[in-house]
Amino acid sequence: DNSSMFRLLKRCSFHPRFKFQKLIAPRVLLHGKNQTTWSSLGLQLQKDVCSLSRSPSLNPVYTIKLQAFHTSFPFFKKKTPKESEIRKPGVLQRSVISLKESPKPALYLSLGGLIPFVSVPLSMAIQGTYYPELAFAQIMYGAVTVSFLGGMRWGFALPEDSPAKPDWLNLANSIVPPVFAWQALLFKDVTQSAIMLVMALGIALHYDISLLPPYPRWFKVLRVMGTVVMVLSLLATAALKTYSELSQSTSK
């Protein structure tokens, strides 16, 4: 058996295909630039051995022994992170990015328009006194702002190339916030007026966010931020009024 095995290996070494593989193997080891991998090299070696085994002068048993010498090196792939593992920016980060992308006039004018809302409860809280005149001025300014947000839909729907059609839905919805603002001015109680304006601001925000998706993202983020500040300011004024009334009743 050993002599037959030696003859088989000797014949394989002089076979032209084995000489070709013998020349290619060092290039794969040293340079690594050839697209032939060790696994494909081993598969080619098996094919050559199997082709030799079909000749009548070779015994199939020795072919099996030759195949035992075949080894293929593992091919290590670089693990790529899964899509679920990639960190995406959160809602707050995306909102900040959208605000930075907004036009400067729209951003600065919107922030400046919030000053009358914030200054009223802030000044009363600093002085520790509730002023009905300041509270009514805030309600008046809130009614004007809500009417402006409602009429803005008309300006968006009237141009011919606008994605919003001037139909009953868009034009009628723009009338709802001004009606709420008018009703807020009819109340004698500041708390009721503030609650009515909060409802009107919520309806206007719902229209701009849900019913009109063609608005750019920066405008929607700006609308959400402005609505939150206005609502908190109105509620703060109503809370200061309630606290002032409670303190006066207890002092008596």
Side-chain angles (χ1 to χ4, degrees):
D1 293 339
N2 294 332
S3 59
S4 301
M5 184 67 179
F6 177 75
R7 288 196 301 273
L8 177 60
L9 293 175
K10 185 177 181 181
R11 183 171 180 179
C12 291
S13 63
F14 288 102
H15 195 270
R17 290 193 178 186
F18 281 94
K19 290 181 179 180
F20 179 72
Q21 299 292 341
K22 186 177 180 182
L23 292 174
I24 288 181
R27 293 180 63 186
V28 176
L29 280 173
L30 293 176
H31 301 284
K33 298 181 180 179
N34 199 325
Q35 295 182 356
T36 306
T37 59
W38 277 104
S39 59
S40 60
L41 187 62
L43 291 175
Q44 185 66 33
L45 181 61
Q46 287 185 0
K47 291 180 181 179
D48 295 336
V49 174
C50 292
S51 62
L52 288 175
S53 64
R54 296 190 184 95
S55 60
S57 61
L58 295 177
N59 194 341
V61 177
Y62 304 126
T63 304
I64 297 174
K65 291 183 178 181
L66 278 178
Q67 290 180 359
F69 289 97
H70 163 65
T71 57
S72 60
F73 291 93
F75 184 70
F76 296 98
K77 286 186 177 181
K78 187 178 179 180
K79 294 184 179 180
T80 57
K82 299 180 181 178
E83 295 181 357
S84 59
E85 296 178 357
I86 300 176
R87 287 187 176 181
K88 297 181 179 179
V91 178
L92 184 60
Q93 294 179 354
R94 293 197 302 268
S95 301
V96 173
I97 294 173
S98 299
L99 285 178
K100 291 181 179 179
E101 295 175 353
S102 61
K104 299 303 180 183
L107 178 61
Y108 294 151
L109 290 175
S110 298
L111 294 178
L114 298 176
I115 294 177
F117 281 99
V118 178
S119 61
V120 171
L122 184 61
S123 61
M124 290 190 296
I126 292 175
Q127 297 180 12
T129 305
Y130 172 76
Y131 294 100
E133 295 80 6
L134 288 179
F136 182 74
Q138 186 190 35
I139 296 299
M140 288 285 293
Y141 184 75
V144 173
T145 304
V146 169
S147 300
F148 168 76
L149 294 176
M152 187 172 55
R153 294 175 59 85
W154 275 65
F156 183 76
L158 290 182
E160 295 181 357
D161 56 347
S162 175
K165 297 180 180 180
D167 52 9
W168 285 99
L169 180 62
N170 288 324
L171 298 184
N173 286 336
S174 64
I175 303 298
V176 175
V179 171
F180 273 76
W182 170 71
Q183 183 64 38
L185 294 177
L186 295 180
F187 290 118
K188 295 181 179 181
D189 187 11
V190 174
T191 303
Q192 296 177 354
S193 300
I195 293 175
M196 185 63 66
L197 289 179
V198 167
M199 294 173 59
L201 289 171
I203 292 173
L205 181 64
H206 171 69
Y207 289 161
D208 293 338
I209 299 300
S210 302
L211 299 183
L212 286 179
Y215 279 153
R217 178 175 175 80
W218 64 263
F219 179 75
K220 293 182 178 182
V221 173
L222 201 60
R223 285 283 293 108
V224 172
M225 182 192 68
T227 301
V228 170
V229 174
M230 288 185 286
V231 168
L232 293 178
S233 300
L234 290 170
L235 294 179
T237 301
L240 288 173
K241 177 181 179 296
T242 304
Y243 177 77
S244 175
E245 292 175 351
L246 291 176
S247 62
Q248 289 178 3
S249 62
T250 54
S251 62
K252 293 179 180 180

